[in-house]
Amino acid sequence: MDEDMLADQRRLVELIEKEGWDVTDLEISAYDSPWADEDDPEATVTITARKPYEDGDDDGDGEDDESPYRLK
């Protein structure tokens, strides 16, 4: 695998972690592009990360009837 691809992968992880995310899984795939006429390889990076968010609910019951994401 090309050292440039690995350096880009490390930089992406550093940027995500700098924003407070915990990287839990990472996969990099290097391949020759089937769409390009060039012989330059391409890479796909799949990063799985998690970031806990505070509930912000003052009464502690976890219910927020005003949430636009709650199914009613």
Side-chain angles (χ1 to χ4, degrees):
M1 189 169 314
D2 189 75
E3 287 299 317
D4 291 336
M5 289 180 197
L6 293 175
D8 285 343
Q9 173 184 310
R10 283 190 291 273
R11 194 172 92 240
L12 288 170
V13 169
E14 288 172 1
L15 289 170
I16 291 170
E17 289 178 340
K18 183 179 176 182
E19 292 297 319
W21 292 83
D22 294 323
V23 175
T24 58
D25 189 35
L26 186 129
E27 177 182 335
I28 186 167
S29 302
Y31 53 90
D32 291 328
S33 174
W35 298 282
D37 292 335
E38 304 168 2
D39 290 333
D40 295 333
E42 294 183 357
T44 300
V45 176
T46 304
I47 299 173
T48 304
R50 66 177 197 88
K51 181 177 181 180
Y53 288 94
E54 298 262 341
D55 187 2
D57 191 6
D58 292 335
D59 58 7
D61 65 0
E63 295 293 323
D64 183 9
D65 293 335
E66 302 301 317
S67 173
Y69 304 106
R70 183 175 306 283
L71 295 176
K72 296 181 181 184

